Amino acid sequence: MNGLKVSPSPHLHDNISTQRVMLNVIIALLPACAAGIYIFGYMAAINLAVCVVSCVLFEFLARRIMKRPQTISDLSAVVTGLLLGMNLPATINPLYGVIGSFVAIVVTKQLFGGLGQNFANPAIVGRIVLMLSFTGQMTTWCQPFYYRNGADIVTGATPLVSGNASYMELFLGNVGGCIGETSAAALIIGGIYLLCTGTITLHAPVAFLGTVALLTFLTGGDVPYQLLSGGLMLGAFFMATDYATTPITGRGKLIFGIGCGLLTFLIRNYGNYPEGVSFSILLMNILTPYIDRLTEIRPLGGKFPEKEGRK
């Protein structure tokens, strides 16, 4: 009897770990990363590598300075680095990726206690800070395959600004934009992998994409164009499904996704920015504690603590 341990329910055991979850996300991101490097050339690879290395290094140093156990082996810093790099223009100076990595890891993640304690998705905060601080550099896009003819970098507008890309170009990624957001095909493949491995559920992505599609249809917009453009696929599958900053319950995830879709639609159509995915997810991250409280599951036969005191 000495080997028995007494603990409250639920008694659920699984071999899943943070490292395993993050590894699945990394695998799912690889098709979009590969597509970005193929479309935009070696500078895309350099910026992705700089962001990953910077995020891991900043996490190591921050944990060391704060005298906390090291957590770089859980691979969450690698995921943050990949997501941040995928949200950067391919030809931007890599030093901006270092700045974004510092904001993401040190300011957004470690100063709030580390993984699971951060109030928002670190990569999104890093990107938004860069966007607001260095707008010109963050909105200078190179044309796809500019490097093939050995020519200098040729800049161009994203599909959301130009509005002249074909559905096939949007699906394959043959358009201007951030490193990891242009190829809808690669992102969908990654999203399917996450769903098949049980890493994410359909709630948030379907609610996010469905809300944008419905509102676009009701206002007479081009539904496929809106779904395939910008960072919508990247945000729906990889950022609106973050464990630490999104609701816990299925109902909560649906509310979160609907909110993201609504805000994205409003920003894209009535705001000053052509793209609203990052801002919408950040705003919904802030509302996540309230959504969790609203959709809290009552224990079988039990009552919520605040309701018990009213009787």
Side-chain angles (χ1 to χ4, degrees), residues 46-95:
I46 290 175
N47 273 301
L48 286 170
V50 166
C51 286
V52 170
V53 172
S54 297
C55 283
V56 173
L57 181 59
F58 281 134
E59 177 145 325
F60 173 81
L61 294 175
R63 303 293 291 188
R64 192 74 174 269
I65 293 171
M66 296 176 182
K67 294 181 170 44
R68 294 173 179 170
Q70 282 299 331
T71 55
I72 57 174
S73 61
D74 65 16
L75 301 179
S76 62
V78 176
V79 171
T80 298
L82 282 176
L83 287 173
L84 177 61
M86 293 170 74
N87 277 282
L88 298 180
T91 53
I92 195 171
N93 189 320
L95 289 177

Side-chain angles (χ1 to χ4, degrees), residues 24-272:
N24 282 339
V25 176
I26 292 171
I27 293 172
L29 288 171
L30 289 180
C33 289
I37 294 171
Y38 173 68
I39 294 167
F40 298 115
Y42 72 96
M43 279 301 297
I46 290 175
N47 273 301
L48 286 170
V50 166
C51 286
V52 170
V53 172
S54 297
C55 283
V56 173
L57 181 59
F58 281 134
E59 177 145 325
F60 173 81
L61 294 175
R63 303 293 291 188
R64 192 74 174 269
I65 293 171
M66 296 176 182
K67 294 181 170 44
R68 294 173 179 170
Q70 282 299 331
T71 55
I72 57 174
S73 61
D74 65 16
L75 301 179
S76 62
V78 176
V79 171
T80 298
L82 282 176
L83 287 173
L84 177 61
M86 293 170 74
N87 277 282
L88 298 180
T91 53
I92 195 171
N93 189 320
L95 289 177
Y96 291 106
V98 177
I99 297 172
S101 298
F102 177 83
V103 172
I105 294 296
V106 178
V107 179
T108 311
K109 185 179 178 184
Q110 295 303 329
L111 289 183
F112 284 87
L115 183 65
Q117 305 300 316
N118 44 292
F119 73 97
N121 186 301
I124 287 180
V125 177
R127 190 211 178 186
I128 289 178
V129 169
L130 290 177
M131 176 71 75
L132 297 177
S133 303
F134 311 103
T135 306
Q137 292 84 346
M138 287 290 291
T139 53
T140 300
W141 321 103
C142 62
Q143 294 285 0
F145 307 111
Y146 73 91
Y147 59 91
R148 286 185 172 179
N149 298 322
D152 293 332
I153 297 171
V154 179
T155 59
T158 64
L160 284 172
V161 175
S162 66
N164 59 5
S166 68
Y167 293 155
M168 185 56 66
E169 286 176 327
L170 293 171
F171 185 70
L172 297 178
N174 189 18
V175 291
C178 292
I179 295 171
E181 72 177 17
T182 61
S183 177
L187 291 167
I188 291 171
I189 291 172
I192 291 173
Y193 175 82
L194 292 180
L195 290 168
C196 291
T197 56
T199 306
I200 65 172
T201 65
L202 277 171
H203 298 83
V206 168
F208 197 164
L209 297 172
T211 300
V212 172
L214 177 61
L215 293 175
T216 302
F217 173 77
L218 293 176
T219 54
D222 189 333
V223 174
Y225 200 94
Q226 286 295 317
L227 292 180
L228 297 173
S229 300
L232 187 57
M233 290 291 177
L234 178 61
F237 285 112
F238 295 98
M239 295 182 172
T241 55
D242 177 46
Y243 284 17
T245 59
T246 56
I248 298 172
T249 65
R251 285 187 301 160
K253 294 178 191 296
L254 287 173
I255 295 173
F256 184 91
I258 292 171
C260 288
L262 174 61
L263 290 170
T264 296
F265 172 81
L266 292 175
I267 294 172
R268 281 186 172 186
N269 289 275
Y270 306 107
N272 292 325

Side-chain angles (χ1 to χ4, degrees), residues 298-299 301-308 311:
R298 186 177 69 179
K303 300 174 182 172
F304 289 120
E306 72 275 9
K307 293 182 179 180
E308 290 178 354
K311 294 182 178 180

Side-chain angles (χ1 to χ4, degrees), residues 268-285:
R268 281 186 172 186
N269 289 275
Y270 306 107
N272 292 325
Y273 289 94
E275 176 63 278
V277 173
S278 294
F279 290 99
S280 68
I281 295 176
L282 176 60
L283 290 171
M284 293 306 296
N285 282 163

